[in-house]
């Protein structure tokens, strides 16, 4: 499932709101574990965004620089040797969109 980046940022923030409010220090602590993977400079940039409350920018960069590459590496390993996959592009991540997409996927599978 693919979503526009801005929608992914919105969804991610809605699911991890506690890191913006009551658990900011915990988030910063967890990010330190990524020092070897992402480098000291990247962590410093993320920390600056967090301290400044620039959450959209932080989450967008975190998705682009860390999550997406890690996810793609895992997905490539999982896909090796398996049948083709279907990518689905959604405009948003609300329940109506999910429901419509699910219906379309079921219909496309039924027609095979």
């Amino acid at each position: 499932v693919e979503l526009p980046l801005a929608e992914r940022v919105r969804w991610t923030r809605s699911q991890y709101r506690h890191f913006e409010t009551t658990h900011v220090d915990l988030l910063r602590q967890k990010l330190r574990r990524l020092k070897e993977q992402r480098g000291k400079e990247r962590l410093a940039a993320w920390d600056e965004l967090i301290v400044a409350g620039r959450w959209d920018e932080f989450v967008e960069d975190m998705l682009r620089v860390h999550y997406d590459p890690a996810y793609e590496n895992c997905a490539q390993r999982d896909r090796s040797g398996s049948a083709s996959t279907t990518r689905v592009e959604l405009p948003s991540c609300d329940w109506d969109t999910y429901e419509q997409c699910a219906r379309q996927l079921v219909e496309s599978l039924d027609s095979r």
Side-chain angles (χ1 to χ4, degrees):
V1 174
E2 294 183 9
L3 289 163
L5 184 57
E7 186 67 14
R8 292 176 60 214
V9 168
R10 185 191 68 74
W11 184 88
T12 302
R13 289 188 63 197
S14 75
Q15 300 302 303
Y16 296 93
R17 180 74 57 201
H18 58 285
F19 283 132
E20 297 179 25
T21 56
T22 58
H23 292 78
V24 175
D25 289 335
L26 179 61
L27 172 62
R28 293 170 76 197
Q29 177 184 339
K30 287 181 177 291
L31 289 174
R32 287 187 208 116
R33 296 180 189 162
L34 300 176
K35 184 177 180 180
E36 285 189 32
Q37 284 181 290
R38 301 301 168 212
K40 185 172 57 172
E41 294 80 16
R42 177 66 65 185
L43 291 181
W46 285 342
D47 198 58
E48 285 180 29
L49 293 172
I50 291 168
V51 169
R54 294 165 48 194
W55 294 105
D56 283 347
E57 292 171 73
F58 165 70
V59 172
E60 181 177 327
D61 200 60
M62 185 71 168
L63 290 171
R64 274 187 320 94
V65 172
H66 179 70
Y67 180 81
D68 289 351
Y71 182 85
E72 187 57 35
N73 286 339
C74 289
Q76 283 179 355
R77 275 196 310 268
D78 290 346
R79 284 191 301 259
S80 65
S82 67
S84 65
T85 59
T86 301
R87 287 196 182 283
V88 178
E89 292 183 31
L90 301 178
S92 65
C93 54
D94 58 72
W95 286 111
D96 290 338
T97 301
Y98 289 152
E99 189 175 342
Q100 179 182 0
C101 176
R103 267 196 303 274
Q104 290 172 349
L105 284 171
V106 169
E107 288 170 7
S108 73
L109 293 172
D110 285 345
S111 67
R112 288 184 183 185

